[in-house]
Amino acid sequence: MDFRNCLRASAFGALLTLLAVTPVAAQPFASEGTYEIPAGAGFNKEKLTRIADFFRNEVETGKISGANVLIRQQGKTIFHQTFGVQDVASKAPITDKTIFRLSSLTKAITSFVAMQLIQDGKMKLEDPVAKYIPSFAKVKVGVEKKAADGSKTLELVDPVRPITILDLLRHTSGITYGFYGESLVRKAYKDANIYAGEFDLAEFAERIAKLPLHNQPGALWQYGHSTDILGRIMEIVSGKSLYEIEKEKLLDPMGMVDTNFFVTEPERQKRLAQPVPNDSNFRVGREYRTEVRQKWESASGGMVTTMDDFSKFAQMLLNGGTLDGKTYLTPETFKTMATDYAGPGSGVDRDYFYFPGDGFGMGLGLAVRTDPGNAKPPPPGSLGELKWDGATGCYMVIDRKQDMMFVLLEQTPSERQRIQRTLKLLVYEALKS
């Protein structure tokens, strides 16, 4: 099936902004010469040591409890070191079996399995969400109106078209979060107390369907609970819970034994990484306690993993959907996932909260590098790069041009953007043509 042609024929057409970063110690990390390095570049071993120096300093100065960093190129490990401890209380060292909360990197796993279900014909990108969850047929769009006295009211209007599976995957559904921004729709999310009590994905979808959309479907890239609604549809089309279908389609075949939504077993709880004590608030509007089993399997931010597990997923993405002789996505479906659906001609606007960042478009569950960006010099990387990260600091970059990927696992909500940015600079500074 040609998904892109299908999209062209349809009626509607085809927390991780790149911020300035404080350099480690007093060393300058410039990005000149690190954008679009010619394919086939290798790594300078001496420059790779700067990565270790940076993370040791982060641990020694008490900014983070620990981290695990892996770089692979052409299937070989180029750099792999752990730093610090799982938990400053237990002082247990970080290992490849240490369990980290993925937060929004969960979205990458959910979206990948959704693409597998699309590949299997269980659902289509152009399918309306209301086909599976009828409550969304009644959803309204919130439009802010400003009175002469400056006060604002929210007018509810009909959507110009239905929300689709495509909208959920590229975050253009109008579904938002209530913990950032000042719009009246986000305030409605906050006031609705959508995380109250015990609920599963089915109930959560009904709660979201009662709220107004932040914008018209397809009009604006809008971070929010789109992936949770996608997860509910995955349950409906598979007849299984989200974890069961992810386990069947991806986790078990790939041997990702510690990737789950909960860490309730005593042995696994001993391996759960914690941020430094003054950095324990994950700042995502709710407390999703992975140590306590609950009904809600958060498709947008609830999974945990280890480097043993997640490195397999990242390598499979680098390989274009295959690993160890198994095909998880065909080349055609993988290309569909890795294509920008929020660029020129898509009708999708970008505002201050466009988290894919400078130079990036939006694929189906992953940001995709489409241009140098506006910064001078441009952020490091290659065209076609795929990436995503999460509020806890975990970070993944897939550079297929260089046949290279790197993964950072850490737990630091407040330091994550600075650390991710610095790590990327250091990785590309170490590449040599």
Side-chain angles (χ1 to χ4, degrees), residues 24-65:
V24 56
Q27 301 178 52
F29 294 129
S31 58
E32 286 92 339
T34 62
Y35 173 71
E36 280 293 274
I37 297 170
F43 278 92
N44 181 311
K45 291 184 179 179
E46 183 177 341
K47 288 186 176 181
L48 282 172
T49 63
R50 299 174 76 196
I51 297 173
D53 292 342
F54 171 74
F55 279 97
R56 287 193 194 99
N57 181 68
E58 293 297 295
V59 172
E60 289 169 3
T61 55
K63 295 183 180 69
I64 63 173
S65 52

Side-chain angles (χ1 to χ4, degrees), residues 289-346:
R289 293 201 62 211
T290 190
E291 301 97 324
V292 179
R293 188 169 296 276
Q294 52 198 286
K295 291 181 180 179
W296 185 32
E297 295 174 347
S298 174
S300 66
M303 297 196 91
V304 299
T305 197
T306 64
M307 185 62 83
D308 266 356
D309 282 8
F310 201 76
S311 60
K312 298 172 186 175
F313 180 68
Q315 183 66 54
M316 182 268 293
L317 292 178
L318 181 59
N319 296 348
T322 66
L323 186 72
D324 297 333
K326 294 180 181 178
T327 298
Y328 296 89
L329 288 184
T330 66
E332 179 185 18
T333 310
F334 186 84
K335 183 179 179 181
T336 300
M337 186 177 189
T339 296
D340 176 24
Y341 292 90
S346 66

Side-chain angles (χ1 to χ4, degrees), residues 252-422:
D252 279 358
M254 201 165 285
M256 296 173 68
V257 296
D258 274 316
T259 304
N260 202 324
F261 289 95
F262 304 107
V263 185
T264 56
E265 308 87 346
E267 184 276 329
R268 294 180 73 236
Q269 287 184 344
K270 290 178 182 177
R271 294 190 278 129
L272 186 61
Q274 303 290 352
V276 292
N278 62 350
D279 193 15
S280 59
N281 179 4
F282 288 105
R283 304 174 191 182
V284 290
R286 65 190 185 278
E287 186 178 16
Y288 186 94
R289 293 201 62 211
T290 190
E291 301 97 324
V292 179
R293 188 169 296 276
Q294 52 198 286
K295 291 181 180 179
W296 185 32
E297 295 174 347
S298 174
S300 66
M303 297 196 91
V304 299
T305 197
T306 64
M307 185 62 83
D308 266 356
D309 282 8
F310 201 76
S311 60
K312 298 172 186 175
F313 180 68
Q315 183 66 54
M316 182 268 293
L317 292 178
L318 181 59
N319 296 348
T322 66
L323 186 72
D324 297 333
K326 294 180 181 178
T327 298
Y328 296 89
L329 288 184
T330 66
E332 179 185 18
T333 310
F334 186 84
K335 183 179 179 181
T336 300
M337 186 177 189
T339 296
D340 176 24
Y341 292 90
S346 66
V348 178
D349 286 333
R350 305 175 183 185
D351 63 10
Y352 175 82
F353 296 110
Y354 183 70
F355 296 147
D358 191 26
F360 284 84
M362 187 69 207
L364 303 181
L366 295 166
V368 55
R369 185 73 175 263
T370 57
D371 59 75
N374 297 315
K376 303 298 180 188
S382 300
L383 292 179
E385 170 197 333
L386 304 173
K387 69 161 188 174
W388 209 250
D389 63 333
T392 53
C394 297
Y395 181 39
M396 170 183 71
V397 168
I398 309 295
D399 187 334
R400 300 191 72 203
K401 177 180 177 179
Q402 298 295 349
D403 195 12
M404 182 268 292
M405 63 85 163
F406 64 87
V407 174
L408 164 65
L409 298 182
E410 60 178 356
Q411 307 283 258
T412 175
S414 64
E415 303 289 344
R416 69 184 191 278
Q417 291 172 324
R418 176 183 61 81
I419 291 174
Q420 290 165 4
R421 175 66 169 160
T422 303

Side-chain angles (χ1 to χ4, degrees), residues 17 51 77 80 101 111 154 157 160 182 209 237 279 296 302 325 362:
T17 315
I51 297 173
T77 298
H80 184 196
R101 298 169 181 86
S111 300
L154 197 64
V157 303
V160 296
E182 301 297 329
V237 301
D279 193 15
W296 185 32
M362 187 69 207

